[in-house]
Amino acid sequence: MKRHILLLITCLLTAVAPAQNKASKSIPTVYIDGNGVMRWSDTRKEASFFGVNYTLPFAHAYRAMGYLGIDRKAAIDRDVYHFARLGLNAYRIHVWDVEISDGEGNLLENEHLELLDYLIHKLQERGIRTVITAQTNFGNGYPERNQPTGGFSSNYDKCAVHSDAEAIATQEKYIAALVRHVNAYTGHAYKDDPYIVGFEINNEPCHPGTVAETRDYINKMLSALKRAGNRKPVFYNVSHNQHVVEAYYDTAIQGTTYQWYPVGLVSGHTRKGNFLPSVDRYDIPFSDLKGFNKKSRMVYEFDPADNLYSYLYPATVRTFRTAGFQWITQFAYDPIDMAAYNTEYQTHYLNVAYTPNKALGLMIAAEVAQKVGRGESFGSYPADTLFRDFRVSYVQDLSELNDGEKFYYSNTTQTLPKDASRLRAIAGCGSSPVVRYEGTGVYWIDKLEAGVWRLEVMPDVVQVSDPFAKPSLDKEVMHIISNAWDMTLDLPDLGKHFRVNGLNADNTFHAQATDGKISSLRPGVYLLQREGTSATEQWTTDKSWHNITLGEYVHPLRFQPHRCQTGSYVINHQPARTVDADKDLQIEAIVAGNEKPDSVIIYTSRVSFWNEKNPYIKMNYAGGYTYRATIPAAQLKESSFKYNIVVCKGDKRQTSPTGVAKSPLDWDYTSEAFWVTHTLTKHQPLTLFCVNASCNFSESFTTNGSDASSLETYTLPEWSRTNRQVIENGPVERPTLRVTFTSKSEKPVYFLRRYIKEDVSGCPERLAACRTLCLQAKKMPEGLRAGFITSDGYTYLASCIASADGIVRIPLSELKQTNTALLPPVYPVFLSKYFCPETELPFRIESIESLELSFDGSAGKEAEIEIGSIWLE
């Protein structure tokens, strides 16, 4: 029945197609000139696009909406609204051909295709352009198993689909039908839609054959598109299959596509560190090929994956613009209705409600794409952290745009706007000199006319668990809380006294701001009007403004577990690994719930139901959801300080780290879980690595588990086989870790790394006094180098010299600045494997963040290292 209805709609739209087609001729389109530059058809000016991939019509996202009982079209509406708020103007999707084709390559008019039509239509309403990648040629399962669909790609191996004659003929039929398909919502065939920029033939093709075979395949696809009536630009992936790269430039494709995953993929945990060196350059080694500069450049996918940092997107897009890219789309934006769980692509996580700081970084990156010229360069890191009106900072985890009229910031900042009196748009997270706010969600503040502003505030979000670990729709990683906070604005145009009125549905809030302060502001949309000002227009809920209406508001639906019901809290805390025994211990925690707790206290492992008196430490409220306490050094006399954090509300208690709804003083409290900070006497070394994670301590850390598992191993330039084995050396000698590498590369370099910032941050004075790096090496490969990567992203190493006692001692004064290996390995593989600094920076022990060991190997030969403890003294 649904198919018949769609066909009827198509027929009706076709009847009025002449009028629509006439109207569409007035809509500017994009063409690629003879020099490979995307230009607008009306002005001939260069075009620049920035946006996201988003996959709700297909695969896991489609199925997850069904699992969660979400209306898919309504879900698309919600997400597209946020695309508009983030300032995006581009959308790319690789179509799962297995879900919209049969075994012979016929196009299926099914719900997947209808949802794609609907999505394209909704994007057009917001002025967002689309590039369609016609086929993926793989299954639709990830992160689940593939579902049987009967699509033609299921009949072929990914690396055979582009060389098998029958498969090629099937693709010709399919791709022609796809571009001729008429969108039931727009009335346009894809090939004629002015908002569709062009088509990429396939997603990450596999071409194991020759240059001639690859060229012939591409030409057949181009011919099929031409016969179907396509006149739009056609793009092809050139960042894969480097052995046939000449073939790509010996065809009539007009655009070339690339990807960039600068910090690897699927680490299984949140990555930490300064990755600005990783996004400093995008050098294309085949840029001297004939015809290279005659084809436009498009980034179909990019993402600095596996982290929540907000400083990376603008820096990455700046580098893309320097490399000449005009279309840049991130992979992939999470639908708001499933973003609480991050199940779609575990290694990627982006949503304006659930990763607000990161989303603001994306919004600023959208501005970078428009303001930074194609080919414009700003030097090498660290000089390029300031460029045009932008700033990025790893230390502050901050991106900023500050151009006089726009002031955007991804985190709390002390930067002053260039001219507060000229501001017309503010977007931020946290506080700034013009906005004081303790909530954690995004806010937008936009000037409608003199003295009249629109304020939009998103709910708070708090982290529940590592979003990059194995996902499940039963496991929240971020949780939304809709709390009220005061917001104080310091905008000269708005003044200190202004009216505040709710604009979105069911928002009946009315207030008068005094001294710029709006009291108890809840998430929603508001009209702000300076006292004594009469608006020249009617700024009502349904009033159109740019590509939104004033009363529009999108927030997460409450289908997820109600984790933060009354009396239940999310407690986030990272204990210090170590602290000097004669120093106070500072403890900080995030305690988030729908109600502010009466108190938050710390109990140590010494309390008991049976004690007459049980001492505790009260945590002090520090604003927002933050609580802090100081543990006096006098209470840190034992080898470890073990503690719980207890949240009190009325007669209810919640004790962490387990989150159990009881107090350690209850008779039936049974948990043995504690947070643990180990205390170091002046005679103990500062341990950086130990195989069983308990060097000098009476028990294991409760947070990181075995140090042996936290030591990461890598090989450059390519993958190697690695074997890890913990060697138990008897009852007296501590265990050691033996790592064996085997690589096929001609001159491999092997690396062992461990993030150690959290191991040393609790002992700043001891760290500053350290002078020697010590390494227990039971088997040391020739040419072993050891040292650190700092918060600057710089690497400092020194050669290791064996000693009779098996302890390598490296004076820190011998560490020398060297190139930084970009690990995990970067994709695409043709990019440089190292950051080569042009600026000398002195080594500072207080800035160390990662430990590194490295040594050279030989192709096909095993290389082995066996190490025990590593420490500073």
Side-chain angles (χ1 to χ4, degrees):
M1 176 64 72
K2 181 176 287 186
R3 182 174 180 179
H4 294 309
I5 293 172
L6 283 173
L7 290 172
L8 177 60
I9 293 173
T10 302
C11 293
L12 291 172
L13 289 170
T14 303
V16 295
Q20 288 183 328
N21 289 335
K22 184 176 181 180
S24 70
K25 290 180 180 179
S26 65
I27 300 172
T29 58
V30 173
Y31 71 97
I32 298 174
D33 70 14
N35 294 313
V37 179
M38 290 186 186
R39 296 189 180 278
W40 290 106
S41 61
D42 56 345
T43 64
R44 304 295 191 263
K45 291 183 178 179
E46 287 192 18
S48 182
F49 295 97
F50 180 79
V52 293
N53 286 248
Y54 169 78
T55 67
L56 191 144
F58 299 100
H60 173 73
Y62 171 88
R63 296 191 299 272
M65 293 298 107
Y67 303 154
L68 298 169
I70 300 297
D71 181 287
R72 295 181 177 93
K73 289 179 183 176
I76 287 171
D77 292 343
R78 288 191 281 274
D79 291 319
V80 170
Y81 171 72
H82 281 148
F83 296 168
R85 295 305 284 131
L86 292 172
L88 309 184
N89 68 344
Y91 166 69
R92 181 259 181 181
I93 187 169
H94 59 61
V95 173
W96 272 264
D97 53 281
V98 293
E99 292 191 322
I100 60 170
S101 70
D102 65 14
E104 287 73 46
N106 296 304
L107 192 68
L108 301 179
E109 299 279 350
N110 58 18
E111 187 175 9
H112 297 290
L113 190 57
E114 186 205 353
L115 285 171
L116 179 59
D117 287 348
Y118 183 79
L119 172 58
I120 290 170
H121 167 57
K122 288 298 178 179
L123 291 166
Q124 290 184 13
E125 289 183 337
R126 307 286 186 175
I128 299 171
R129 309 278 168 150
T130 297
V131 164
I132 295 175
T133 300
Q135 49 190 337
T136 59
N137 304 129
F138 56 70
N140 65 350
Y142 188 87
E144 307 168 81
R145 292 186 183 275
N146 286 339
Q147 308 292 307
T149 64
F152 69 87
S153 288
S154 302
N155 300 327
Y156 307 96
D157 178 77
K158 172 77 170 177
C159 287
V161 75
H162 307 126
S163 57
D164 183 282
E166 181 184 76
I168 293 172
T170 303
Q171 289 171 78
E172 290 179 87
K173 178 193 295 185
Y174 162 78
I175 202 167
L178 180 65
V179 301
R180 287 197 303 260
H181 166 70
V182 176
N183 186 326
Y185 296 95
T186 67
H188 293 296
Y190 285 176
K191 65 184 179 64
D192 301 320
D193 193 323
Y195 278 87
I196 294 179
V197 170
F199 303 99
E200 186 185 21
I201 292 175
N202 45 35
N203 181 72
E204 299 180 355
C206 179
H207 288 296
T210 65
V211 169
E213 289 169 337
T214 303
R215 182 180 59 242
D216 290 347
Y217 168 79
I218 296 172
N219 285 335
K220 287 179 180 178
M221 293 297 107
L222 289 171
S223 295
L225 288 167
K226 186 175 182 179
R227 290 193 303 271
N230 177 60
R231 298 295 180 267
K232 293 184 180 296
V234 180
F235 301 84
Y236 205 81
N237 183 303
V238 300
S239 61
H240 288 64
N241 312 294
Q242 292 303 290
H243 66 290
V244 295
V245 69
E246 294 91 344
Y248 306 138
Y249 295 93
D250 194 21
T251 69
I253 60 169
Q254 292 178 273
T256 54
T257 72
Y258 302 74
Q259 94 276 43
W260 198 11
Y261 294 116
V263 294
L265 293 169
V266 198
S267 68
H269 63 275
T270 299
R271 303 213 67 87
K272 297 179 181 180
N274 186 348
F275 297 115
L276 287 173
S278 298
V279 299
D280 194 53
R281 300 180 67 89
Y282 196 96
D283 296 325
I284 303 170
F286 48 88
S287 60
D288 57 349
L289 277 178
K290 182 181 178 181
F292 177 85
N293 285 320
K294 299 296 183 181
K295 301 186 189 298
S296 70
R297 272 157 265 171
M298 177 177 94
V299 179
Y300 67 97
E301 294 178 11
F302 85 96
D303 198 38
D306 293 322
N307 67 78
L308 293 174
Y309 290 131
S310 69
Y311 70 91
L312 282 168
Y313 283 142
T316 305
V317 174
R318 173 211 63 211
T319 301
F320 279 139
R321 291 296 285 161
T322 299
F325 289 95
Q326 290 181 266
W327 178 285
I328 305 165
T329 36
Q330 181 269 354
F331 192 92
Y333 190 90
D334 290 80
I336 193 171
D337 293 301
M338 56 187 288
Y341 313 104
N342 192 27
T343 60
E344 187 182 27
Y345 291 98
Q346 164 195 348
T347 196
H348 308 291
Y349 197 24
L350 175 65
N351 179 273
V352 74
Y354 289 92
T355 65
N357 307 90
K358 197 172 183 179
L360 253 296
L362 189 87
M363 185 177 184
I364 294 166
E367 295 284 336
V368 174
Q370 302 304 320
K371 288 177 173 287
V372 171
R374 180 173 56 90
E376 188 175 4
S377 178
F378 302 92
S380 183
Y381 173 81
D384 58 7
T385 54
L386 293 168
F387 57 101
R388 282 191 173 261
D389 298 312
F390 302 94
R391 180 169 79 98
V392 293
S393 169
Y394 159 65
V395 173
Q396 296 173 281
D397 185 21
L398 177 65
S399 300
E400 284 181 348
L401 164 63
N402 188 6
D403 71 358
E405 293 188 339
K406 295 178 181 178
F407 187 35
Y408 301 165
Y409 43 92
S410 66
N411 228 325
T412 292
T413 180
Q414 300 302 316
T415 300
L416 292 170
K418 286 185 178 180
D419 186 349
S421 66
R422 292 197 301 119
L423 284 175
R424 61 180 178 84
I426 299 121
C429 285
S431 291
S432 73
V434 294
V435 181
R436 291 193 297 279
Y437 183 63
E438 295 183 78
T440 64
V442 171
Y443 50 81
W444 292 276
I445 311 171
D446 296 288
K447 185 177 180 179
L448 305 178
E449 63 169 284
V452 182
W453 295 67
R454 179 186 187 269
L455 167 64
E456 180 174 358
V457 183
M458 290 294 289
D460 297 339
V461 63
V462 291
Q463 185 172 342
V464 177
S465 62
D466 189 337
F468 304 105
K470 188 174 182 179
S472 167
L473 288 171
D474 294 324
K475 186 186 78 170
E476 257 191 322
V477 296
M478 295 287 188
H479 187 79
I480 295 293
I481 304 175
S482 186
N483 273 338
W485 300 97
D486 295 343
M487 177 180 280
T488 302
L489 305 180
D490 188 5
L491 296 172
D493 180 73
L494 191 58
K496 296 294 185 181
H497 303 278
F498 51 88
R499 298 190 300 278
V500 184
N501 293 302
L503 273 176
N504 58 297
D506 301 321
N507 187 347
T508 59
F509 187 90
H510 299 284
Q512 180 74 32
T514 302
D515 202 24
K517 180 179 177 180
I518 309 170
S519 298
S520 300
L521 182 73
R522 290 197 171 275
V525 179
Y526 301 86
L527 187 71
L528 314 180
Q529 190 165 337
R530 186 177 64 217
E531 189 174 69
T533 296
S534 297
T536 61
E537 295 194 41
Q538 292 295 315
W539 299 107
T540 56
T541 295
D542 57 355
K543 172 78 172 178
S544 293
W545 182 77
H546 296 316
N547 58 352
I548 67 169
T549 57
L550 292 188
E552 284 189 271
Y553 182 63
V554 172
H555 59 88
L557 302 177
R558 293 307 185 101
F559 65 83
Q560 67 234 44
H562 292 284
R563 190 181 187 92
C564 286
Q565 295 173 347
T566 301
S568 181
Y569 296 85
V570 173
I571 296 117
N572 286 339
H573 172 57
Q574 179 65 52
R577 294 263 303 200
T578 56
V579 66
D580 288 328
D582 60 345
K583 303 294 181 182
D584 293 346
L585 171 63
Q586 306 299 324
I587 294 178
E588 180 175 295
I590 300 297
V591 180
N594 287 332
E595 294 181 295
K596 187 177 179 181
D598 296 332
S599 61
V600 180
I601 62 176
I602 293 173
Y603 280 133
T604 73
S605 59
R606 305 297 295 271
V607 304
S608 169
F609 166 75
W610 300 104
N611 293 343
E612 288 294 326
K613 293 183 178 181
N614 284 290
Y616 63 90
I617 300 95
K618 183 177 180 180
M619 301 193 76
N620 298 312
Y621 179 63
Y625 295 112
T626 303
Y627 289 78
R628 298 191 182 105
T630 298
I631 311 301
Q635 297 187 29
L636 305 175
K637 297 301 185 183
E638 298 182 5
S639 61
S640 63
F641 180 74
K642 299 193 291 184
Y643 59 99
N644 299 119
I645 294 177
V646 184
V647 181
C648 308
K649 181 65 178 177
D651 60 354
K652 296 182 178 180
R653 303 291 183 267
Q654 181 179 325
T655 300
S656 288
T658 59
V660 63
K662 290 182 181 296
S663 164
L665 301 185
D666 290 340
W667 72 269
D668 56 349
Y669 180 82
T670 58
S671 175
E672 295 294 329
F674 299 94
W675 278 302
V676 181
T677 295
H678 292 280
T679 54
L680 298 180
T681 67
K682 61 181 180 179
H683 302 295
Q684 290 176 294
L686 189 54
T687 301
L688 307 179
F689 170 78
C690 187
V691 176
N692 62 3
S694 59
C695 295
N696 304 314
F697 306 129
S698 60
E699 59 196 275
S700 298
F701 294 108
T702 60
T703 51
N704 286 359
S706 169
D707 276 11
S709 64
S710 68
L711 190 69
E712 298 179 324
T713 58
Y714 302 102
T715 301
L716 291 179
E718 295 181 9
W719 173 90
S720 71
R721 185 171 65 251
T722 304
N723 181 59
R724 305 159 67 101
Q725 184 180 5
V726 174
I727 308 299
E728 300 292 346
N729 293 303
V732 177
E733 188 179 354
R734 287 197 175 98
T736 51
L737 176 66
R738 180 183 298 162
V739 182
T740 306
F741 298 88
T742 308
S743 175
K744 294 181 180 179
S745 301
E746 185 176 343
K747 294 180 179 179
V749 183
Y750 302 119
F751 297 85
L752 299 94
R753 276 189 183 176
R754 184 170 188 273
Y755 186 75
I756 58 169
K757 182 178 180 179
E758 290 156 1
D759 296 74
V760 300
S761 59
C763 306
E765 293 181 14
R766 178 188 294 256
L767 180 64
C770 289
R771 297 292 180 267
T772 308
L773 172 63
C774 301
L775 165 67
Q776 177 196 358
K778 197 161 186 179
K779 184 169 185 179
M780 189 175 77
E782 184 178 350
L784 180 66
R785 302 170 292 274
F788 301 100
I789 304 168
T790 68
S791 59
D792 297 309
Y794 275 42
T795 300
Y796 302 83
L797 299 175
S799 297
C800 297
I801 300 174
S803 63
D805 62 358
I807 306 298
V808 177
R809 293 177 174 84
I810 304 171
L812 298 182
S813 59
E814 294 184 4
L815 296 177
K816 303 298 181 185
Q817 180 178 309
T818 186
N819 295 336
T820 294
L822 302 181
L823 299 170
V826 60
Y827 300 101
V829 297
F830 62 67
L831 292 175
S832 175
K833 307 298 187 293
Y834 295 89
F835 165 69
C836 304
E838 298 177 4
T839 304
E840 290 286 329
L841 295 178
F843 174 73
R844 296 178 297 115
I845 184 64
E846 61 270 22
S847 68
I848 63 173
E849 292 196 340
S850 291
L851 170 73
E852 177 174 295
L853 309 179
S854 65
F855 58 96
D856 300 333
S858 301
K861 294 184 179 180
E862 285 190 353
E864 192 170 87
I865 182 173
E866 187 174 335
I867 56 174
S869 303
I870 303 175
W871 67 94
L872 284 166
E873 60 182 32

